[in-house]
Amino acid sequence: NMVVLDEADEMLDMGFQEDLETLLGAAAARTRTLMFSATLPSNILSMAARYQKDAVRVDVRPENRNAAHDDIEYVAHLTAVGAHLPAVINVLRSNGNGRTIVFGTTREGVSALHGELVRRGFSAVVLSGDRAQHERNRALAALRSGEAHVLVATNVAARGLDLPEVDLVVHADLPLNTEDLTHRSGRTGRAGRKGRSVVIANLAERRKAERLMRNAGVKFTWTEVPSADAI
């Protein structure tokens, strides 16, 4: 018998720790438990210690942890309070028709942002936890075919997607923690391709943004949002 946990860290963040422990406890006859994660926060390590026996930890990351970010250029834009939407729009326009994922924190915020982008002429689709499966399939098909160039999504909705060749990741809302920053940004810069991860923050969010990027071990400098003339 085997148990495989995928995206367990996201389930823990959403408050499903008791549910996961119930599943693992009920599968008492299992002979093997496998856990996969791009990040290893303390709560995942604690659960692994309780439910795995003589586990072998396989870490395929390079010894120089920062090398994992070599294919991703991190850009930080500082904006005025209330100027997030214009900043996102200008970043998208500067990227042309490259495939982009724009991340928001809540379903409501993602839906509203998607509506604003569509109204401004962007070929955008949306993914969040409240979308039906056929809507998800249609959105992903549009991205793969090139009919749509922008995906607006929550963290949960974008986990596990088979979307190669993402050129740009935009954090319209700051990630909640370093692990989220890593997972979100890791949607680009795959399979030897270069990518960009753009963090947008206002003055009130600046310290949190800097802490997230420092803890992730990435190099960044604050720059102005692309202007109309530059675009």
Side-chain angles (χ1 to χ4, degrees):
N1 297 319
M2 180 185 297
V3 173
V4 179
L5 288 185
D6 190 21
E7 309 294 5
D9 55 340
E10 189 70 28
M11 290 185 240
L12 291 176
D13 285 344
M14 295 176 67
F16 290 109
Q17 180 165 344
E18 291 185 5
D19 303 80
L20 289 178
E21 291 176 344
T22 298
L23 289 172
L24 289 169
R30 69 187 184 281
T31 57
R32 183 175 299 175
T33 304
L34 306 178
M35 293 185 176
F36 298 89
S37 182
T39 57
L40 292 172
S42 59
N43 50 4
I44 289 290
L45 294 175
S46 176
M47 180 172 285
R50 287 203 308 276
Y51 292 102
Q52 291 182 302
K53 286 186 178 181
D54 301 322
V56 176
R57 178 169 169 173
V58 179
D59 192 337
V60 298
R61 295 174 299 177
E63 290 185 11
N64 174 16
R65 295 294 188 245
N66 288 341
H69 303 283
D70 283 351
D71 288 333
I72 304 175
E73 175 194 5
Y74 281 80
V75 179
H77 291 315
L78 198 60
T79 71
V81 175
H84 267 69
L85 179 59
V88 170
I89 290 170
N90 279 16
V91 168
L92 292 179
R93 293 207 187 284
S94 70
N95 193 50
N97 288 330
R99 185 179 285 128
T100 302
I101 302 179
V102 181
F103 280 102
T105 301
T106 67
R107 290 179 297 183
E108 295 79 9
V110 160
S111 179
L113 178 56
H114 171 253
E116 293 287 352
L117 294 180
V118 169
R119 277 191 287 276
R120 285 165 172 79
F122 288 94
S123 55
V125 291
V126 62
L127 282 184
S128 59
D130 60 345
R131 302 279 163 168
Q133 188 60 45
H134 71 275
E135 292 181 284
R136 292 173 58 85
N137 293 342
R138 189 164 58 243
L140 294 176
L143 281 165
R144 294 191 185 104
S145 69
E147 179 185 345
H149 299 112
V150 179
L151 168 65
V152 189
T154 58
N155 293 348
V156 176
R159 286 291 187 98
L161 294 182
D162 179 20
L163 275 182
E165 300 182 7
V166 173
D167 303 285
L168 173 68
V169 167
V170 179
H171 307 274
D173 294 328
L174 285 183
L176 297 178
N177 50 50
T178 304
E179 287 75 24
D180 277 350
L181 175 65
T182 300
H183 278 290
R184 285 177 172 190
S185 301
R187 300 304 313 183
T188 188
R190 294 187 167 195
R193 290 174 57 88
K194 299 295 183 181
R196 279 192 302 145
S197 177
V198 175
V199 175
I200 298 174
N202 60 40
L203 289 171
E205 299 168 325
R206 180 171 182 167
R207 286 189 177 181
K208 178 182 178 181
E210 290 175 341
R211 184 174 67 252
L212 289 171
M213 288 185 282
R214 276 199 307 268
N215 290 344
V218 299
K219 298 177 181 178
F220 67 95
T221 54
W222 290 107
T223 60
E224 293 183 356
V225 175
S227 66
D229 289 339
I231 296 167

